[in-house]
Amino acid sequence: MMERLPKTDQNILVVDDSQIMRLFMKKILSQSFEVQTVDSAVSALESLYTMEEPSLVISDINLPEMNGFDLLKKIKTDNSLCKVPVMIVSGEKDSSSRIKCLELGAVDYVLKPFNPRELYLRVCHHLNINLKRSSQSDDQEINSLNINRFTSYE
């Protein structure tokens, strides 16, 4: 049985051409976060320009029309988007892909298949870092993301 968790104001954009993977990540993350999913880098860019700035983008590398490397480059070189953290979740196991993503500005690289709890914890970690950065001028509560509330799928 899945415990229903209170939502935070953190929103995540998931970019993956696999409907199963989009639904799986949404199920894991929507316990605590608002999650929007798209099936291509082009759709991701459209969403990024029209929606409220996401707290995190999670993207695959192998995408139709434009790959994840190019999406990452476009996000990190656009002045209106460059502060949005991007996490890569991909089946590309070679170290050159991981290194390239990190050099392009990705905050993390998670290999598929992944443990659902690991993905959830990594997302919480990156969102907590963002909260700390943004709350330096605010008096926001830093521990608003409770990593112990993950509901296991194992």
Side-chain angles (χ1 to χ4, degrees):
M1 182 173 130
M2 285 190 41
E3 174 188 356
R4 183 85 178 151
L5 302 174
K7 296 272 186 173
T8 69
D9 61 353
Q10 304 290 314
N11 57 333
I12 298 169
L13 176 63
V14 173
V15 188
D16 200 300
D17 59 328
S18 163
Q19 181 180 15
I20 292 170
M21 190 56 62
R22 288 192 312 272
L23 291 172
F24 183 53
M25 283 194 267
K26 184 170 186 166
K27 183 175 183 178
I28 294 165
L29 300 171
S30 65
Q31 297 178 59
S32 300
F33 312 109
E34 293 297 325
V35 179
Q36 178 183 348
T37 64
V38 294
D39 62 0
S40 71
V42 171
S43 295
L45 287 172
E46 289 172 5
S47 293
L48 286 166
Y49 288 120
T50 59
M51 68 184 272
E52 179 182 335
E53 182 177 296
S55 306
L56 180 69
V57 172
I58 300 174
S59 179
D60 191 8
I61 291 176
N62 297 316
L63 298 167
E65 302 174 58
M66 176 193 308
N67 65 38
F69 296 121
D70 291 335
L71 173 62
L72 182 56
K73 278 183 218 170
K74 285 191 180 288
I75 291 171
K76 293 303 172 181
T77 57
D78 184 307
N79 288 335
S80 65
L81 301 174
C82 64
K83 292 185 180 177
V84 175
V86 179
M87 174 188 288
I88 302 298
V89 177
S90 179
E92 295 292 323
K93 293 176 176 34
D94 62 293
S95 64
S96 62
S97 291
R98 293 190 309 267
I99 291 168
K100 183 175 181 177
C101 287
L102 294 170
E103 287 175 342
L104 290 171
V107 295
D108 205 347
Y109 191 107
V110 177
L111 284 171
K112 292 178 187 175
F114 53 83
N115 178 297
R117 180 161 174 81
E118 178 185 1
L119 178 70
Y120 183 84
L121 291 171
R122 286 177 183 262
V123 166
C124 286
H125 173 75
H126 292 296
L127 293 176
N128 269 323
I129 289 171
N130 277 356
L131 276 177
K132 288 177 185 177
R133 286 184 185 142
S134 67
S135 69
Q136 288 174 352
S137 60
D138 303 347
D139 289 325
Q140 283 183 309
E141 184 64 33
I142 298 214
N143 294 321
S144 66
L145 302 175
N146 185 345
I147 63 174
N148 295 321
R149 294 181 148 237
F150 176 78
T151 302
S152 178
Y153 291 97
E154 296 177 55

